[in-house]
Amino acid sequence: MSKSFRFIQSLSSVKDKIVKSSNATKLRELIFSTEISFIMEAHNGLSAKIVEEEGFKAVWASGLSISTSLGLRDRNEVSWTQVVDVLEYMADSINIPILVDGDTGHGDFNNVRRFVKKLGQRNIGGVCFEDKQFPKTNSFLGENQELASIPDFTGKIKAAIDTRENDDFCIVARTEALISALGMSEALKRAEAYHAAGADAILVHSKKSTADEISGFMREWDNRCPIVIVPTKYFNTPVSLFEDIGISTVIWTNHNLRSAITSMRETTRQIYRDKSIRVAEGNIASLAEVFSLVNMDEIDAAEKKYSA
Ligand code: SPV
Ligand code: MG
């Protein structure tokens, strides 16, 4: 089954009102497209650039990855303004949209409003808010995390919708009901409430090692709006299954961060052991690649144009 959503027509009516080239529009088109879409994690300007260069059409600005790359915990230790600062570097590096991990919105509905306003000013494509309590803890830590009440969370969604200046700015509502072992009917109830509150898409999170929960959810959901998933724990599931059950968008949420950790460890270990950089040199990016990633050629061209 492809992503054939009943609400697809609403996109074109919305589109008449907005700037067609904005990142919000690009992200919306991706999430609402009839093909399954893939969004790759990045956590700074450099990783965002690599995600773009390797062909992805959008970036996931992961809370786990951004905080870990700053040496901090995924527990709102990074303030929302610090997140926005990181996003600015990321957005400046690329021409594809960013879907931001907005955690719980960094507080109540009012913090959500400030956050969404600042994201819009930086031409961010959209944001995903989750129905946990502030301060949040990563979904893969502990058991039975307490969730926000449905009225509290739908209030945040409505606040985000009322604040966005571009109607295409995507608000993704994420339910942790399955992760918190509240059961399928609670997950469906929450997803329906968030959809009714105006969320553009629902992220259903699961920490099972198979996609059974997600498949069960999709059978009941019946394409009411796009569904986004994070298959970090059910990584063995073939993408064809996600396509068959009608998933809209898959987020590979932390794989650049984890890849960087492995690679940096190997290089550091090798150099420490060898007391030399000779072997390591053959296994790492060349300086030419480093300069290319930040577009040094452009400086040469600009110098010719502007420098006396
Ligand atoms: C993140 O990347 O920060 C996420 C996804 O929220 S997860 O770590 O799976 O909760
Ligand atoms: Mg997160």
Side-chain angles (χ1 to χ4, degrees):
M1 187 200 306
S2 67
K3 290 191 292 183
S4 54
F5 302 108
R6 311 181 194 138
F7 46 83
I8 205 93
Q9 281 172 335
S10 69
L11 178 65
S12 45
S13 59
V14 162
K15 262 172 58 195
D16 296 334
K17 290 193 279 169
I18 47 83
V19 183
K20 286 201 165 42
S21 62
S22 75
N23 280 325
T25 306
K26 288 190 222 164
L27 183 63
R28 178 168 291 263
E29 284 173 352
L30 202 67
I31 291 175
F32 280 77
S33 77
T34 52
E35 300 298 316
I36 193 166
S37 305
F38 301 95
I39 301 184
M40 179 71 184
E41 170 262 321
H43 48 274
N44 56 23
L46 174 63
S47 50
K49 182 77 178 168
I50 289 170
V51 168
E52 179 180 47
E53 285 192 351
E54 292 305 319
F56 282 93
K57 298 283 180 278
V59 168
W60 167 248
S62 155
L64 172 66
S65 301
I66 290 174
S67 50
T68 307
S69 69
L70 295 171
L72 296 173
R73 290 165 285 198
D74 188 16
R75 200 181 181 280
N76 295 121
E77 285 189 339
V78 183
S79 74
W80 72 263
T81 54
Q82 290 169 327
V83 171
V84 169
D85 286 346
V86 172
L87 293 173
E88 194 159 26
Y89 286 106
M90 292 171 69
D92 283 350
S93 303
I94 55 177
N95 292 305
I96 55 175
I98 299 173
L99 175 61
V100 172
D101 179 358
D103 289 338
T104 63
H106 302 272
D108 69 0
F109 74 90
N110 197 38
N111 301 91
V112 165
R113 293 195 301 190
R114 288 282 297 157
F115 192 57
V116 167
K117 182 173 175 187
K118 294 295 151 189
L119 297 183
Q121 287 169 354
R122 280 158 185 78
N123 195 16
I124 298 296
V127 64
C128 175
F129 292 119
E130 64 199 34
D131 56 2
K132 292 203 290 235
Q133 303 275 1
F134 179 89
K136 58 76 57 76
T137 301
N138 187 269
S139 304
F140 300 133
L141 289 171
E143 301 293 332
N144 308 326
Q145 288 191 37
E146 193 188 336
L147 301 193
S149 72
I150 292 177
D152 268 359
F153 193 65
T154 51
K156 287 182 181 179
I157 294 167
K158 288 178 190 156
I161 291 166
D162 289 346
T163 305
R164 67 180 170 194
E165 283 176 9
N166 182 338
D167 287 343
D168 267 3
F169 182 86
C170 291
I171 315 278
V172 179
R174 160 172 163 179
T175 183
E176 297 278 311
L178 298 175
I179 297 254
S180 284
L182 296 177
M184 188 59 71
S185 58
E186 180 70 14
L188 285 159
K189 185 167 95 181
R190 284 176 173 265
E192 179 49 39
Y194 305 163
H195 173 49
D200 298 295
I202 305 292
L203 191 160
V204 188
H205 208 358
S206 168
K207 62 177 179 181
K208 296 277 190 250
S209 59
T210 70
D212 292 356
E213 280 186 335
I214 299 297
S215 297
F217 180 94
M218 292 305 285
R219 273 194 296 278
E220 302 292 328
W221 184 248
D222 192 28
N223 277 343
R224 274 173 264 177
C225 77
I227 297 297
V228 181
I229 58 167
V230 170
T232 303
K233 293 288 182 180
Y234 44 101
F235 55 85
N236 278 321
T237 310
V239 160
S240 57
L241 184 138
F242 302 148
E243 285 175 311
D244 289 345
I245 63 177
I247 295 297
S248 153
T249 304
V250 177
I251 307 180
W252 313 120
T253 49
N254 51 38
H255 300 79
N256 269 323
L257 173 84
R258 290 163 61 199
S259 149
I261 291 170
T262 303
S263 178
M264 286 191 284
R265 255 197 211 291
E266 273 171 15
T267 303
T268 301
R269 191 172 291 152
Q270 175 101 50
I271 292 173
Y272 182 81
R273 208 172 40 223
D274 295 357
K275 296 189 179 60
S276 162
I277 52 175
R278 193 180 61 83
V279 174
E281 178 64 28
N283 300 329
I284 56 179
S286 67
L287 282 173
E289 187 175 355
V290 171
F291 297 140
S292 160
L293 277 162
V294 290
N295 201 8
M296 281 304 292
D297 284 353
E298 190 275 337
I299 292 281
D300 295 339
E303 244 167 15
K304 286 197 186 88
K305 191 170 171 193
Y306 301 120
S307 231

